Amino acid sequence: MAAFHRLVIEQGATFEERYEIVNDEAVWPIPATWQARAQVRAEPLALAVILDLTEHLAVDHDAGTITLRIPATTTAALDRGGVWDLELYDPGDVDQVYRLLAGTVEVEPEVTR
């Protein structure tokens, strides 16, 4: 089951968080061929994607971490939040998908522009 994680994104500012993949209290090295993907939608069943986070994810396979870094130019264009989730998957095996995090996304409006 995915852990709940709320994203609070400040509009117009660089957003960065790092997630450590831990299994039984130890860091889990991510297999070299595996990738991460994530999206923000208004609600879970919405067809439209508010923001595809996949291109903003960096996987460090040896360290067992995934870093989400959204540049300020991208967050500046956000005008609403929604829901999101983060998956780790094996592109060579459609049955190997692990939903790591899921939760809400809040966008705090920018004042200084």
Side-chain angles (χ1 to χ4, degrees):
M1 179 177 211
F4 178 82
H5 184 71
R6 183 176 133 223
L7 293 182
V8 179
I9 300 173
E10 296 175 328
Q11 185 184 43
T14 301
F15 176 89
E16 186 167 344
E17 288 187 347
R18 185 174 60 98
Y19 313 110
E20 191 172 60
I21 312 306
V22 179
N23 185 9
D24 297 327
E25 304 301 322
V27 173
W28 184 55
I30 301 168
T33 58
W34 288 34
Q35 298 176 11
R37 60 186 175 205
Q39 294 180 334
V40 176
R41 295 177 189 260
E43 58 187 26
L45 298 178
L47 296 177
V49 176
I50 293 172
L51 179 60
D52 191 338
L53 299 172
T54 303
E55 67 183 89
H56 305 294
L57 295 170
V59 179
D60 185 330
H61 295 90
D62 294 330
T65 62
I66 300 171
T67 301
L68 171 59
R69 185 179 186 283
I70 310 169
T73 53
T74 301
T75 67
L78 291 175
D79 59 1
R80 62 184 167 143
V83 294
W84 83 298
D85 65 8
L86 170 65
E87 296 180 340
L88 189 61
Y89 70 101
D90 179 354
D93 183 353
V94 296
D95 289 328
Q96 293 288 328
V97 178
Y98 297 92
R99 192 165 169 235
L100 305 173
L101 298 172
T104 58
V105 178
E106 180 183 326
V107 177
E108 292 189 352
E110 179 178 23
V111 175
T112 304
R113 293 185 273 288

